[in-house]
Amino acid sequence: MNSRYSRQALFLGKDKQTKILNSSVFIMGAGALGSSSAEMLARAGVGKITIVDRDYVEWSNLQRQQLYSEEDVKKRLPKVVAAKNRLEQINSGITIVPLVEDVHGLNIEEMIKGHDVIVDATDNFETRLIVNDAAVKNGIPFIMGSCVASYGTIYPVIPGNGAPCLHCLLNHLPVDTMTCETVGVISPIVQIVAATQVAQALKVLTGEPVTPLLRSIDIWKDENSSINVTRLRNNDCPTCGEHATFPYLQYKNQMKSEILCGRNAVQIRPATNDKYELVTFIDNLKDKVAKPIINPFLLSCEFEDMRIVFFKDGRAIIHGTNDTKTARIIYNRFLQYY
């Protein structure tokens, strides 16, 4: 057994440490929760960690997203690329797979294939329901987690254990429109939620039982609760019920444009799976854009009084508007120069 894991192996046992070394974890999101979870899992020796995220590193991330540096911001690096760079410095003996992708119901199943557990680090509830559908359908445990301000929630979805999935709990979870962009977030709650998620993930990887507890914590108000929600399972649930249809994996429910809350920006996701050669694109644009920044993953520039971050899969974030119609017009004008 590698001596770097000796203290962990003393607690878990060598056999369970070996299971961790041979395991594979999928992290959905590389923001605050994702970067914290990724670092803990890398230090624990998880053999393969796949991280997916659609965004790039910005200055506002550095307050709580612990894998990133000022240099990552200056280079406009995608979060998963910056995360891979840092994680390989932490543990060179494991495999880190970065995916600069926007997750939706039509690509999630291929992404999670072959993984032992999914750790949720998304920033919106719709994406969580997409992952929940894919996890239940494919029989992969899914550790849900979220945090905002000083408050966090954690819930493990373990397919086949008779407990409710996230969809079952929709009518029992508080409806809250708060986001990190509107009310902020402090890093201690991020660390607590991520640590709890990673503990649950390690239990799954080592074969330990996981209790279906819905946990909530407010680190500022010194409040916490844990509720066993087994009885809340819905036999008619469209995700885990007897006649499951997995609605969030269906084409008709896929979002094509999305307002990014609190950022005065809209994301455009094309219906096609075309790949764009960014070097060719910037050559064609030349005098039509200002302040261009290009790396192997994205092109950032100013175009028609707005800032566009264009990814090689055709996805783009249009900064300077919250109107999806305006964003689409700008996107189409921008693409005509390709």
Side-chain angles (χ1 to χ4, degrees):
M1 180 67 63
N2 192 322
S3 62
R4 74 184 296 160
Y5 308 118
S6 61
R7 302 301 187 271
Q8 184 168 278
L10 279 173
F11 175 76
L12 295 174
K14 291 184 178 180
D15 290 345
K16 290 183 178 179
Q17 180 61 46
T18 299
K19 288 182 178 180
I20 291 173
L21 295 171
N22 293 326
S23 66
S24 178
V25 175
F26 185 90
I27 301 179
M28 180 59 236
L33 288 177
S35 58
S36 298
S37 296
E39 179 170 337
M40 282 185 273
L41 291 166
R43 292 185 186 278
V46 171
K48 177 184 175 183
I49 301 174
T50 301
I51 314 174
V52 62
D53 195 284
R54 66 190 182 185
D55 216 343
Y56 54 94
V57 186
E58 296 188 287
W59 289 107
S60 63
N61 302 149
L62 301 183
Q63 166 254 344
R64 66 199 180 281
Q65 299 181 18
Q66 64 191 50
L67 291 180
Y68 311 129
S69 68
E70 293 184 357
E71 194 63 24
D72 296 328
V73 177
K74 294 173 184 177
K75 292 180 178 178
R76 291 280 206 285
L77 280 185
K79 288 183 179 180
V80 294
V81 176
K84 174 182 170 67
N85 294 342
R86 176 60 181 141
L87 292 172
E88 288 180 339
Q89 292 176 335
I90 291 171
N91 192 342
S92 61
I94 63 175
T95 301
I96 308 296
V97 180
L99 300 176
V100 186
E101 299 279 353
D102 184 40
V103 172
H104 50 79
L106 304 182
N107 64 9
I108 180 64
E109 289 187 84
E110 186 62 30
M111 288 184 184
I112 65 174
K113 187 181 297 182
H115 292 85
D116 300 304
V117 65
I118 301 167
V119 175
D120 171 35
T122 62
D123 59 3
N124 68 86
F125 205 76
E126 181 184 11
T127 304
R128 287 192 185 96
L129 290 172
I130 291 172
V131 181
N132 178 71
D133 268 18
V136 173
K137 182 179 178 181
N138 291 274
I140 303 174
F142 168 46
I143 314 300
M144 187 278 285
S146 66
C147 58
V148 67
S150 60
Y151 177 81
T153 58
I154 309 99
Y155 179 66
V157 177
I158 312 296
N161 72 346
C165 74
L166 191 58
H167 203 145
C168 292
L169 301 179
L170 275 180
N171 294 329
H172 304 280
L173 294 171
V175 177
D176 201 332
T177 58
M178 293 190 302
T179 69
C180 293
E181 288 79 11
T182 58
V183 300
V185 63
I186 56 173
S187 60
I189 191 60
V190 172
Q191 301 304 319
I192 290 172
V193 171
T196 307
Q197 286 182 279
V198 170
Q200 299 291 301
L202 292 177
K203 282 186 176 183
V204 170
L205 296 178
T206 57
E208 290 288 323
V210 176
T211 306
L213 293 177
L214 177 62
R215 295 175 170 87
S216 64
I217 305 162
D218 193 316
I219 190 63
W220 202 253
K221 296 179 180 179
D222 296 319
E223 297 174 351
N224 66 81
S225 68
S226 295
I227 305 171
N228 190 315
V229 294
T230 302
R231 294 184 179 181
L232 297 180
R233 184 169 187 268
N234 177 12
N235 291 330
D236 295 322
C237 173
T239 297
C240 68
E242 296 177 1
H243 305 288
T245 58
F246 307 106
Y248 289 91
L249 302 182
Q250 297 176 19
Y251 179 80
K252 64 181 181 180
N253 291 327
Q254 303 313 306
M255 186 182 295
K256 294 296 186 296
S257 60
E258 176 185 358
I259 299 172
L260 301 182
C261 183
R263 292 174 60 179
N264 192 32
V266 175
Q267 176 180 256
I268 303 293
R269 186 177 71 229
T272 62
N273 293 318
D274 295 338
K275 296 296 181 182
Y276 290 81
E277 177 54 57
L278 299 179
V279 174
T280 300
F281 204 174
I282 193 63
D283 285 343
N284 293 344
L285 288 165
K286 288 185 178 177
D287 300 331
K288 300 173 182 66
V289 300
K291 299 180 181 178
I293 298 174
I294 188 170
N295 61 44
F297 313 98
L298 59 83
L299 162 64
S300 173
C301 60
E302 292 182 2
F303 177 78
E304 295 192 8
D305 298 323
M306 295 188 185
R307 182 161 65 90
I308 295 182
V309 179
F310 185 86
F311 296 82
K312 62 182 180 181
D313 62 358
R315 183 168 51 88
I317 298 176
I318 315 296
H319 293 263
T321 181
N322 278 327
D323 182 74
T324 56
K325 181 178 179 180
T326 299
R328 286 173 179 165
I329 291 172
I330 295 295
Y331 178 82
N332 289 329
R333 288 178 182 168
F334 186 73
L335 270 189
Q336 72 179 343
Y337 296 107
Y338 185 75

